Amino acid sequence: MDHSTHQHAEHAAHRPPATWAAAAQATLHCLTGCAIGEVLGMVIGTALGLHGVATVALAVALAFVFGYALTMRGVLKAGVPFRAALKVALAADTISITVMEIVDNLIMVSVPGAMDAGAGSWLFWGALAFSLAVAFVLTWPVNKWMIGRGKGHAVVHQYHH
């Protein structure tokens, strides 16, 4: 076995299994960060009376910030320096958060009146809960595929032991 084949086999042996349960756990982790940022951004944007586009931009930005922050928290706790932890978070979460945010925000802007309803409205919260649930379902197989290829949350796995 040549060196690169040995390295690949050794790396694959440390990879978490690409099970639906592992993908669900990774997706739930992503959803948590996205939901915190999304809710905060939507609440701030609607409370300030921002235009729908500005509110969505704020929600997306905060979803990425909180998504990356949650991953970095665990990696930093494992003793990884900040810059390296940031690189791990970017590698682990970017695709997952991107898919989740596209789905979530497309649904939010597609539900008539949801963006204008405001944080005191059942329409707003119902649409947001529905959009996050659909985003979870559609991001789940993406995470399974990425874990199976040693990408996404498979990158973070080594820091959880």
Side-chain angles (χ1 to χ4, degrees):
M1 182 182 310
D2 69 27
H3 182 68
S4 65
T5 305
H6 177 71
Q7 272 188 319
H8 179 73
E10 190 175 288
H11 179 72
H14 296 293
R15 201 183 282 168
T19 63
W20 285 106
Q25 185 177 8
T27 307
L28 185 59
H29 175 90
C30 179
L31 178 70
T32 302
C34 286
I36 292 168
E38 191 75 30
V39 168
L40 192 57
M42 290 289 180
V43 169
I44 291 170
T46 57
L48 295 177
L50 298 178
H51 186 271
V53 173
T55 298
V56 168
L58 177 61
V60 169
L62 290 175
F64 275 93
V65 167
F66 280 94
Y68 291 143
L70 282 180
T71 296
M72 285 183 65
R73 183 176 151 246
V75 176
L76 288 167
K77 193 174 178 180
V80 177
F82 184 85
R83 282 178 60 112
L86 179 59
K87 288 179 182 179
V88 169
L90 292 172
D93 293 333
T94 300
I95 292 173
S96 184
I97 294 172
T98 300
V99 171
M100 196 162 282
E101 286 304 299
I102 289 169
V103 171
D104 170 47
N105 285 291
L106 280 175
I107 291 171
M108 279 302 289
V109 299
S110 298
V111 173
M115 292 296 293
D116 298 323
S121 164
W122 283 101
L123 175 60
F124 172 83
W125 291 107
L128 187 55
F130 176 73
S131 70
L132 290 170
V134 172
F136 177 91
V137 169
L138 295 179
T139 306
W140 188 9
V142 172
N143 281 326
K144 184 177 185 306
W145 181 82
M146 290 190 328
I147 291 168
R149 278 139 192 84
K151 309 285 185 207
H153 270 259
V155 176
V156 177
H157 181 75
Q158 64 186 317
Y159 300 105
H160 289 281
H161 297 290

